[in-house]
Amino acid sequence: MAPSCNPRSLWAPSVQPSGRPPLLCPPSTPASSPPPAGRSTLRGRRPTQAVARSPENPPLRAPRRHPNIQQQISVKSQLPMDSAVNGVRQPPARAGSRLCTRCGERKAALKRPKTLEQICRECFYIVFEDEIHQTIVDNNLFKPGDRVAIGASGGKDSTVLAYVLSELNRRHKYSLDLFLLSVDEGITGYRDDSLETVKRNEIQYGLPLKIVSYKDLYGWTMDDIVKAIGLKNNCTFCGVFRRQALDRGAALLKVDKIVTGHNADDIAETVLLNILRGDIARLSRCTFITTGEDGPIPRCKPFKYTYEKEIVIYPYYAILCIYSPNAYRGFAREFIKDLERLRPRAILDIIKSGENFRISTTTRMPEQGTCERCGYISSQKLCKACVLLDGLNRGLPKLGIGRTKGVAGGDSDTGSFDTVRLYKLTNYGCEMG
Amino acid sequence: MGWAGPSRPNRTDELGRLSLSRDCGKCGAAAVAVAGGLGLCGECFRAHLFGKFKLAVTSNAMVRPTDSLLLAFSGGPASRVALQFIHEMRSKAIESWDASNSQALPVFGIGVAFVDESIMCSKPKDEIEMAIEDIKSIVSGLSAGVKAMHIAPLEDVFSTESEDGEGRLKEAVDMIGDDTGREDFLRCLRMLSLQKIAMGNGYTKIMLGSCASVIACHVLSATVKGQGYSLPADVQYVDTRWEVPVILPLRDCLAQELTLLCELDSLKTQQYLNSLSNGINSLVASFIERLREENPSREHTIVRTAQKLKPFSFNKFSADGYHDFLPSRLRPKFQKVDSDESTFSETLCLICGSPFSESELQNLEGTKHKAQKNIDLHTAHCCQSCNFQIIPSSENLNEHFFSLLPKLWTKRVDTISASHSLLRPNLVIFPCFQMAAIGDPAGQLALVHEEEQYTSGHCKANSRVTMKF
């Protein structure tokens, strides 16, 4: 159990395997913080007295937020400042000594990671949500009446995404039908925990939840796969299967769009990794906010311009995949965090670079076809999932891994960096603390 | 050579770097280096690098017999190797000139430039002087062939008739708040300084020693600074957007290879004046170093990625007029650069020279129409990255900052604002920014003249720089 958080609270981490230390609970977490509320306080109150509302964001009703969030933020808002102590131009924040630069009324409670502005908690909520709303509107992500599946892993990004999206849907009348869609890879101690979170979200936000499992789709759980092939290359299986599982789940739900919780840090990292790998085709599309528009179900990333740090302090939550110590990505992620410390806007600049790269229109892009066996989109005769599955079932698990000509595309254990890991299994844990 | 080289490095040490074979893959002698998956002996390794250099020079028509080259020499291994190689190429050309019957064609000339940035470093004066003496001795140590050695203090680009450059440079640099911005600003000044030396002494090309490792760092740091659009301009062999075209023949060599070659051939280097940095550039450099440990060819992959981006039209020598007065058998071939625009019609950043992306152009157009103040126009003529990291944010400082900048930079914009009313409103690019991609000094001189013509409003339709409407 993670003792520091009320298990009933909205974003409380779910049961931790007893062997692992509770992740990401900085010493400042008030172990005795008494979140005063149960589920009913989902409709709790945020201080409404002087919330500066932007013109396009008229006060509809008393904005609701779980009091827990505020409590958590009041503690966690120290996080970016603490971590920025060894940063360059970031003097230790003297919360309370300054007024919010946005509303000028309340005391600044945190330094906004994206801009380093000192703002109050209320304004942070407003700018955070408004930016996402703006991204959705500017990019025409949704049409009224769309059925939208939220790829929900139970991690911080998708949990915040589910909350923010249902909130914005209500507030700005997107008239979307939202669903939660989860994939159960069958990783004991990791996915079964996070699925608990998703199930909680289902009840809390009143969003219907669909879980598709590897076991049902492919007959293998990740635990089985790891038993068969060991810890090397297992991320390839997981990534390929998950991508397809998500599409299949979405098809079952008959949705028009899938949204995923990829944030600005993820996208910046993907841009860098594609440069490091020389993958020009992926480099050109990894910054698209909507991908797969020619496929059956497009996916989009409403958090494209949202910093991971802000998602972390919005509520506070993270969990670590036990099978994914991906060193290569770790490198790049660390680099991005260093960059952010030097210059917060570097993340946005990387995304901007990615969008502006002069990629010749004649660059050959892989052609899209369908898999002969299962009918899923594929650039080869058989889709990657079928090749991998074939290997597993025939007892040749190395089939389809590595650079083999003639077998379905994609290579190496780093997987593809296109829309990396639809649900992210990153080791945020160690980086954010 | 005239100096005592450093003692030869320990052989066993070098062999420690080998992972493949201990024999040279070409001649069977003991290998000292690994390149392209082969162990190579010293001799073959040298030939391998020289081959890359020569291929870059010849396949891109970098050097014509009539050229006069200015080599930017920093004292580091890369420019040291470039100096050695180009000197060698010239010696061979002279040999064949001596042997030929006609002796009608000239052999290209070489000059060396060193930009003295000691004003920005805090090291003791006498040591700086010694380092510069060292650099002079390296160049003079080469057997005859180097036409001249130019040592130009960086502050020279800031000096005006009335004022000394030193104070102005320091003042301008002090106004830049961002560490990375300061570093990049100095880099731009270095290029300006080289351009000035080249123009003042009749050089037709500037050769830089930028190697693959440096370019890989630049690729990532440009990405991080949001300069993705202009990035391909900086990673090509040829860059003619400057008054004097710039060539990068070492683009395919790694820094480690060049350092190793300097060790093996006991080429003396002098890196005392290199300054340490703590901005984004050094963070990127250490990141790349880490990647290299994991995969030695990572830098090549990064450079290759950047090469897949579409270069600009100024990234090649334009074919017409380039080969005049050369017999056809001596005309070097042109590399095919994939670019659709036939003429050079990019707007360039005032400070760093990056081509403008669409959004920057829009911003510039918007400013042109409404801005009354010169200062707004100046700001709009800088790319977004320079605007963020170099130009001071407060408006008062801003104006002063631009008044300090070298006139060579600001003049172009002033010319535009002065003549803006004379030109058609839908003029996309003012021709002064279109530095014709020509290699001859006469053309460049003509360009300067043209600029003056435009100022006085005598715009001639038959100007040799194409105007785009």
Side-chain angles (χ1 to χ4, degrees):
Chain A
M1 283 299 268
S4 58
C5 306
N6 184 335
R8 287 176 302 170
S9 78
L10 192 50
W11 274 286
S14 44
V15 186
Q16 301 274 342
S18 50
R20 261 188 313 150
L23 291 158
L24 267 184
C25 286
S28 60
T29 311
S32 57
S33 90
R39 216 160 271 152
S40 60
T41 48
L42 175 63
R43 316 210 154 242
R45 64 268 127 196
R46 176 162 66 176
T48 50
Q49 59 277 38
V51 179
R53 292 227 155 245
S54 49
E56 75 279 6
N57 185 8
L60 296 175
R61 289 168 255 175
R64 23 184 106 77
R65 195 176 312 277
H66 194 287
N68 262 354
I69 305 173
Q70 290 177 16
Q71 282 212 339
Q72 293 193 11
I73 294 213
S74 61
V75 178
K76 299 306 180 323
S77 61
Q78 298 295 329
L79 189 75
M81 299 169 223
D82 293 345
S83 64
V85 167
N86 44 3
V88 177
R89 279 179 291 165
Q90 298 183 10
R94 282 156 295 141
S97 63
R98 252 186 244 184
L99 285 181
C100 166
T101 54
R102 194 171 169 277
C103 63
E105 288 172 11
R106 287 174 295 264
K107 280 181 180 172
L110 69 152
K111 191 183 247 178
R112 197 177 168 211
K114 196 170 185 172
T115 54
L116 299 186
E117 290 166 326
Q118 302 266 12
I119 56 173
C120 63
R121 189 187 308 151
E122 288 78 7
C123 286
F124 174 69
Y125 291 139
I126 294 169
V127 289
F128 183 89
E129 289 161 11
D130 280 357
E131 264 182 22
I132 295 161
H133 172 61
Q134 215 49 50
T135 311
I136 291 173
V137 172
D138 290 349
N139 295 286
N140 291 321
L141 291 191
F142 310 117
K143 290 195 297 288
D146 268 354
R147 291 165 68 89
V148 175
I150 301 166
S153 61
K156 63 180 184 342
D157 301 87
S158 58
T159 307
V160 174
L161 181 65
Y163 174 77
V164 171
L165 218 52
S166 57
E167 188 65 35
L168 292 177
N169 188 24
R170 221 183 343 252
R171 191 184 302 161
H172 298 288
K173 303 204 168 58
Y174 295 159
S175 16
L176 302 179
D177 279 332
L178 294 174
F179 300 89
L180 292 172
L181 175 55
S182 287
V183 176
D184 183 3
E185 295 95 341
I187 306 176
T188 317
Y190 162 66
R191 187 50 89 206
D192 44 359
D193 291 354
S194 55
L195 282 177
E196 289 304 312
T197 318
V198 181
K199 282 175 192 156
R200 245 197 327 270
N201 296 342
E202 177 189 13
I203 304 165
Q204 283 160 344
Y205 312 144
L207 302 177
L209 166 68
K210 171 86 192 164
I211 299 177
V212 286
S213 71
Y214 282 11
K215 186 80 190 159
D216 296 344
L217 289 178
Y218 310 108
W220 288 77
T221 64
M222 268 317 282
D223 285 345
D224 296 339
I225 292 175
V226 169
K227 261 182 218 137
I229 68 162
L231 282 172
K232 220 179 154 196
N233 292 331
N234 59 73
C235 290
T236 307
F237 285 88
C238 198
V240 170
F241 286 171
R242 190 175 324 106
R243 186 183 174 79
Q244 206 179 88
L246 201 64
D247 271 344
R248 289 177 189 273
L252 289 175
L253 285 171
K254 297 197 178 56
V255 294
D256 305 296
K257 285 237 164 81
I258 304 176
V259 293
T260 53
H262 290 100
N263 56 40
D265 298 50
D266 294 329
I267 296 171
E269 188 184 5
T270 308
V271 170
L272 284 183
L273 288 174
N274 280 325
I275 293 177
L276 300 188
R277 283 175 93 226
D279 192 334
I280 199 82
R282 288 210 172 89
L283 186 58
S284 71
R285 52 185 188 204
C286 67
T287 49
F288 293 170
I289 191 159
T290 307
T291 50
E293 274 169 308
D294 43 350
I297 303 165
R299 325 182 145 180
C300 50
K301 314 176 192 112
F303 280 171
K304 181 178 172 190
Y305 300 108
T306 308
Y307 277 33
E308 181 175 34
K309 269 189 184 169
E310 300 199 347
I311 297 176
V312 172
I313 57 175
Y314 186 79
Y316 182 70
Y317 194 84
I319 191 164
L320 180 72
C321 173
I322 51 171
Y323 288 151
S324 145
N326 199 331
Y328 191 49
R329 254 196 183 262
F331 260 26
R333 180 64 90 170
E334 224 171 86
F335 174 60
I336 291 203
K337 295 292 171 207
D338 287 346
L339 276 176
E340 190 186 1
R341 215 169 301 139
L342 272 184
R343 180 185 284 187
R345 74 175 234 164
I347 294 177
L348 286 181
D349 275 343
I350 294 176
I351 298 178
K352 190 178 114 201
S353 290
E355 289 168 341
N356 285 344
F357 277 138
R358 288 163 53 100
I359 292 166
S360 147
T361 41
T362 55
T363 308
R364 205 174 56 88
M365 299 292 169
E367 275 171 43
Q368 204 173 71
T370 49
C371 171
E372 284 180 1
R373 191 171 299 172
C374 68
Y376 184 71
I377 46 163
S378 165
S379 54
Q380 309 284 327
K381 237 161 74 180
L382 292 182
C383 73
K384 187 81 179 166
C386 285
V387 174
L388 291 176
L389 206 55
D390 213 30
L392 280 175
N393 291 333
R394 281 163 53 194
L396 304 165
K398 288 280 181 301
L399 198 67
I401 294 177
R403 289 167 204 272
T404 336
K405 278 222 167 109
V407 197
D411 51 9
S412 79
D413 50 349
T414 50
S416 80
F417 301 130
D418 193 349
T419 38
V420 265
R421 292 161 304 144
L422 292 165
Y423 300 53
K424 287 166 293 86
L425 306 172
T426 11
N427 39 353
Y428 298 113
C430 14
E431 286 146 15
M432 295 310 301
Chain B
M1 312 219 169
W3 70 87
S7 62
R8 274 182 105 69
N10 192 346
R11 285 282 140 163
T12 48
D13 244 24
E14 281 164 22
L15 286 169
R17 291 173 216 168
L18 292 183
S19 55
L20 292 167
S21 153
R22 297 193 167 233
D23 294 329
C24 173
K26 290 193 170 159
C27 65
V32 293
V34 179
L38 273 184
L40 292 177
C41 69
E43 206 47 44
C44 294
F45 178 62
R46 186 172 198 289
H48 168 77
L49 286 187
F50 186 67
K52 279 196 204 177
F53 178 86
K54 206 174 156 196
L55 184 72
V57 170
T58 52
S59 64
N60 297 289
M62 277 185 193
V63 181
R64 297 170 305 164
T66 46
D67 273 339
S68 170
L69 281 183
L70 181 68
L71 179 84
F73 185 56
S74 67
S79 50
R80 180 70 190 86
V81 170
L83 176 62
Q84 193 67 24
F85 282 172
I86 195 70
H87 180 252
E88 210 162 295
M89 277 183 77
R90 182 168 190 276
S91 319
K92 280 183 188 162
I94 296 230
E95 264 172 43
S96 72
W97 184 81
D98 280 339
S100 78
N101 292 330
S102 64
Q103 303 201 335
L105 278 169
V107 171
F108 66 89
I110 308 174
V112 176
F114 174 75
V115 180
D116 174 10
E117 286 167 57
S118 50
I119 184 175
M120 296 320 295
C121 89
S122 49
K123 287 167 182 160
K125 264 238 146 61
D126 49 326
E127 287 179 37
I128 291 172
E129 271 164 25
M130 263 172 56
I132 293 179
E133 277 310 310
D134 262 2
I135 281 169
K136 278 186 194 160
S137 79
I138 291 173
V139 175
S140 58
L142 289 171
S143 52
V146 174
K147 198 164 75 180
M149 169 91 191
H150 310 272
I151 294 184
L154 190 66
E155 58 268 25
D156 273 10
V157 289
F158 270 85
S159 51
T160 56
E161 290 104 35
S162 53
E163 241 184 297
D164 189 27
E166 196 175 323
R168 290 165 65 91
L169 170 65
K170 281 203 164 138
E171 201 177 341
V173 170
D174 284 343
M175 284 165 83
I176 303 173
D178 190 283
D179 286 344
T180 319
R182 218 170 299 136
E183 228 169 89
D184 288 354
F185 182 66
L186 290 178
R187 207 192 52 210
C188 301
L189 288 179
R190 201 177 309 145
M191 175 54 97
L192 184 68
S193 181
L194 288 172
Q195 291 287 340
K196 215 176 150 195
I197 300 173
M199 280 191 290
N201 296 285
Y203 290 99
T204 54
K205 304 261 169 74
I206 295 176
M207 179 181 280
L208 299 186
S210 310
C211 59
S213 315
V214 168
I215 294 176
C217 284
H218 180 76
V219 170
L220 286 198
S221 47
T223 307
V224 168
K225 291 171 200 157
Q227 296 169 317
Y229 179 81
S230 61
L231 169 63
D234 308 328
V235 300
Q236 311 296 330
Y237 290 115
V238 174
D239 179 358
T240 64
R241 77 185 115 154
W242 316 100
E243 277 84 350
V244 181
V246 171
I247 52 181
L248 313 175
L250 284 177
R251 197 187 75 171
D252 299 323
C253 303
L254 296 174
Q256 317 83 283
E257 293 177 334
L258 298 171
T259 314
L260 181 60
L261 183 70
C262 285
E263 270 175 39
L264 293 175
D265 280 10
S266 36
L267 299 176
K268 193 177 167 192
T269 55
Q270 169 56 259
Q271 286 168 281
Y272 177 74
L273 296 173
N274 285 7
S275 50
L276 292 170
S277 69
N278 51 2
I280 285 184
N281 298 332
S282 67
L283 181 63
V284 168
S286 60
F287 176 60
I288 295 229
E289 201 163 309
R290 235 177 118 184
L291 292 171
R292 186 197 305 138
E293 283 163 18
E294 171 224 26
N295 178 352
S297 63
R298 186 64 73 193
E299 286 154 326
H300 277 314
T301 317
I302 296 172
V303 175
R304 261 204 308 277
T305 315
Q307 278 162 27
K308 288 178 198 160
L309 302 175
K310 204 161 66 177
F312 292 85
S313 56
F314 55 74
N315 285 127
K316 60 174 181 196
F317 292 114
S318 82
D320 40 292
Y322 188 72
H323 283 323
D324 290 354
F325 317 115
L326 265 189
S328 57
R329 73 189 159 83
L330 287 173
R331 293 185 181 183
K333 284 196 190 73
F334 277 101
Q335 135 225 46
K336 282 228 159 45
V337 175
D338 164 38
S339 63
D340 32 275
E341 316 94 301
S342 52
T343 44
F344 176 6
S345 60
E346 304 286 346
T347 305
L348 303 178
C349 169
L350 176 74
I351 294 177
C352 68
S354 340
F356 271 24
S357 69
E358 204 121 306
S359 66
E360 286 164 331
L361 270 180
Q362 270 169 11
N363 173 33
L364 174 61
E365 285 304 304
T367 320
K368 262 189 198 164
H369 285 295
K370 56 176 197 278
Q372 295 307 311
K373 280 190 292 181
N374 225 350
I375 183 71
D376 293 335
L377 210 57
H378 279 145
T379 323
H381 267 289
C382 296
C383 68
Q384 282 167 4
S385 171
C386 287
N387 258 318
F388 170 74
Q389 61 171 14
I390 294 181
I391 297 170
S393 46
S394 105
E395 204 158 300
N396 317 339
L397 282 178
N398 212 323
E399 191 149 6
H400 185 50
F401 181 75
F402 277 106
S403 72
L404 286 174
L405 288 187
K407 288 287 162 286
L408 276 170
W409 280 345
T410 44
K411 196 174 66 187
R412 296 189 297 205
V413 176
D414 296 340
T415 322
I416 292 175
S417 60
S419 56
H420 184 55
S421 52
L422 299 174
L423 297 165
R424 285 199 233 161
N426 61 348
L427 178 72
V428 182
I429 307 293
F430 192 74
C432 284
F433 274 87
Q434 306 176 321
M435 281 160 285
I438 40 174
D440 56 331
Q444 270 126 34
L445 279 179
L447 206 67
V448 177
H449 284 307
E450 260 167 305
E451 215 167 292
E452 284 156 11
Q453 277 180 359
Y454 280 116
T455 0
S456 47
H458 299 302
C459 176
K460 292 275 177 348
N462 59 357
S463 92
R464 43 169 306 143
V465 187
T466 34
M467 285 173 87
K468 279 200 114 177
F469 289 98

